[in-house]
Amino acid sequence: QEDKVFEGNPVICLKGVAVREWNSGRSGSLMEAGVMQVQPKLPEVQRLQQWWAKSGSSVSLTSLSMSFDAPLTDLRTLQSKALPCTVELCGVVASFRPTHSFTSRDGKELTKREITVADASGMSMVVTLWGDRAKQEDKVFENHPVVSIKGVLVKEWNSGRSGSLLEAGSLSFQPTTPAAQQVQQWWSEGGSKQRLTALSQEGGGGGARGAATSDASTIAEMRQAAELVSSQPEVFNITCRLATVQTAKQGQVQPLYYMACQEPRPGSSLPCQKRVGEDGFCAACNRAGKAAPRMNIRCRFSDFADSAWLTTFHEAAQKVLGYTAEQVKEMESGEGGRDGLEAAVRRCYFSEPLQLTIRAKLDSYNGEQRTNITCSDARPVQRGVHGRSMLSGIREMLARQAESAQSG
């Protein structure tokens, strides 16, 4: 039929559409025996026309079909975009992980690699690469190259947003587009030292999977509940702010990171992650090989009434400070040295509210049982969600007071 039949946003009725999964989305095809009617005289047509004229033509539609024709999207815009969606990204590889090989449920041998992409919006997101793209040598991802990634499927995962490069997508290093030049300029003129806001929540709880989740919501309630934990881990979700990072202990400088072995464990594709010596030698692997910085810091977190010192490991520590371990290492070895690094850390104090996932478990130290409490995850507070939660708590409190007054 002529193009003019489809011009002007007509309402159409399709009968006999076969819907299939394609490119991680859903697409339809009108069968040969199917029927297409343009502007049919049906009650539904009038309702659709009224909706389109009133607001439908201007709303943001959620597409079930994944298209690679989407325009370039910055991460700040992606933060509020309806999911799932397929986008094109242009950013810097802020950090990357080693490859990980595994067998899927249907018996396929798969290899993936996670990279963290950041752009000039000051945000970052984890994108998973698959197959040959993931198997590229580590040196390809080193030194923070600019990448253009087309065909990134973005979904909600672990209360955050994560991307996955589709098979039909593309990955280009050091593109020469204006967007790439803008990102490179941002990174070289201060972006590399900027505190990034992470859209992705990594780690799935950092070893707290399967643990019971407590309803404690303040540091004081967490302290009280932690005294009663057993060898079965318990998880607490607390809203608070970073108050202090321990940078010295008994007059000695306290390191904020250590170098960890990145060689694969025997019989596994996962990295060793054991601490290596100054010469890069790993006692567990009995050799010197690839190493990367991993953060391990002691943080004092505070809420409206109390505070607590918590050991905060790599993934959570990076989110608390807003810097990757590589950035922390670069700052300490750069012009500002240790003083410059500590100044950057101090700028994080009380800056943004955080949602912490805290893991408590009864462990044994030298034959004595103690409660081990660590911060396993951190993420920026979603102010709208937190505000509604607080409002709900206020309403419940007022309802209880009203009931108490009536019964009294």
Side-chain angles (χ1 to χ4, degrees):
Q1 300 185 57
E2 295 182 6
D3 291 351
K4 64 181 181 181
V5 174
F6 303 96
E7 294 174 352
N9 308 115
V11 176
I12 60 173
C13 178
L14 302 174
K15 297 181 181 179
V17 177
V19 180
R20 296 180 179 178
E21 183 176 352
W22 186 78
N23 271 339
S24 300
R26 297 188 178 197
S27 296
S29 177
L30 182 61
M31 307 297 288
E32 188 174 357
V35 177
M36 182 182 75
Q37 294 178 292
V38 181
Q39 298 293 130
K41 295 182 179 180
L42 297 172
E44 291 82 358
V45 173
Q46 186 176 2
R47 288 197 294 270
L48 278 171
Q49 287 175 328
Q50 291 175 347
W51 165 76
W52 185 260
K54 186 176 181 180
S55 62
S57 61
S58 59
V59 299
S60 176
L61 300 176
T62 301
S63 175
L64 298 182
S65 302
M66 300 304 172
S67 170
F68 296 122
D69 297 328
L72 181 66
T73 304
D74 66 81
L75 294 175
R76 185 171 296 280
T77 301
L78 182 58
Q79 184 182 29
S80 57
K81 199 173 180 66
L83 300 182
C85 63
T86 303
V87 298
E88 176 186 349
L89 301 176
C90 183
V92 172
V93 178
S95 63
F96 65 93
R97 289 189 171 186
T99 57
H100 172 49
S101 300
F102 61 98
T103 304
S104 66
R105 292 181 179 178
D106 56 1
K108 293 182 179 179
E109 294 294 329
L110 300 175
T111 300
K112 72 173 186 178
R113 182 197 292 271
E114 293 179 350
I115 64 173
T116 299
V117 177
D119 67 13
S121 67
M123 295 189 166
S124 67
M125 186 179 74
V126 172
V127 177
T128 302
L129 309 179
W130 300 90
D132 291 340
R133 295 186 180 111
K135 293 177 183 177
Q136 297 180 84
E137 295 183 13
D138 287 355
K139 64 181 181 181
V140 174
F141 302 94
E142 293 174 351
N143 300 318
H144 310 293
V146 175
V147 291
S148 173
I149 316 177
K150 297 182 179 180
V152 178
L153 175 61
V154 182
K155 293 183 178 181
E156 181 176 353
W157 186 80
N158 197 25
S159 300
R161 297 186 171 215
S162 295
S164 178
L165 180 55
L166 298 173
E167 186 176 359
S170 65
L171 171 65
S172 302
F173 288 87
Q174 304 295 20
T176 57
T177 61
Q181 293 172 0
Q182 181 183 5
V183 169
Q184 184 65 69
Q185 183 178 4
W186 162 75
W187 185 259
S188 61
E189 293 182 356
S192 60
K193 299 180 181 179
Q194 185 175 334
R195 191 170 188 264
L196 301 174
T197 300
L199 297 184
S200 304
Q201 311 303 336
E202 305 175 54
R209 298 175 188 174
T213 302
S214 169
D215 57 2
S217 59
T218 68
I219 291 178
E221 291 172 344
M222 181 272 294
R223 283 182 184 278
Q224 186 176 5
E227 293 178 357
L228 304 176
V229 299
S230 63
S231 57
Q232 177 65 34
E234 190 162 352
V235 173
F236 309 94
N237 294 312
I238 307 294
T239 300
C240 57
R241 292 177 188 256
L242 173 66
T244 312
V245 173
Q246 187 181 57
T247 56
K249 184 177 181 181
Q250 297 179 349
Q252 299 294 319
V253 173
Q254 189 78 355
L256 304 185
Y257 66 91
Y258 64 94
M259 298 303 294
C261 177
Q262 299 300 297
E263 296 296 332
R265 302 173 189 169
S268 171
S269 62
L270 296 175
C272 168
Q273 301 290 28
K274 296 293 186 182
R275 188 187 299 266
V276 301
E278 294 183 0
D279 57 355
F281 183 80
C282 174
C285 298
N286 195 30
R287 59 173 171 167
K290 292 184 294 184
R294 285 183 65 82
M295 296 181 68
N296 183 12
I297 58 180
R298 287 278 293 171
C299 299
R300 183 168 66 87
F301 296 101
S302 298
D303 63 11
F304 65 94
D306 202 353
S307 63
W309 283 97
L310 299 174
T311 299
T312 308
F313 291 112
H314 184 63
E315 285 82 5
Q318 292 185 123
K319 295 174 187 175
V320 167
L321 296 183
Y323 299 111
T324 65
E326 289 80 6
Q327 289 174 312
V328 168
K329 184 175 182 292
E330 287 175 6
M331 280 191 282
E332 188 171 42
S333 58
E335 289 184 10
R338 178 70 184 200
D339 290 341
L341 172 59
E342 292 188 11
V345 170
R346 286 194 295 271
R347 286 194 290 270
C348 301
Y349 295 169
F350 296 102
S351 60
E352 292 291 336
L354 298 168
Q355 182 77 35
L356 300 186
T357 299
I358 298 172
R359 181 179 184 270
K361 181 184 178 183
L362 195 63
D363 284 340
S364 178
Y365 296 90
N366 297 323
E368 179 182 352
Q369 287 191 328
R370 297 181 185 176
T371 303
N372 183 19
I373 307 175
T374 59
C375 174
S376 58
D377 191 25
R379 65 195 68 180
V381 169
Q382 297 182 13
R383 296 177 186 269
V385 175
H386 186 55
R388 288 189 290 272
S389 176
M390 294 176 67
L391 183 59
S392 176
I394 291 172
R395 287 171 176 165
E396 290 178 5
M397 180 183 66
L398 293 176
R400 288 195 298 268
Q401 289 178 348
E403 291 177 2
S404 178
Q406 290 177 357
S407 62

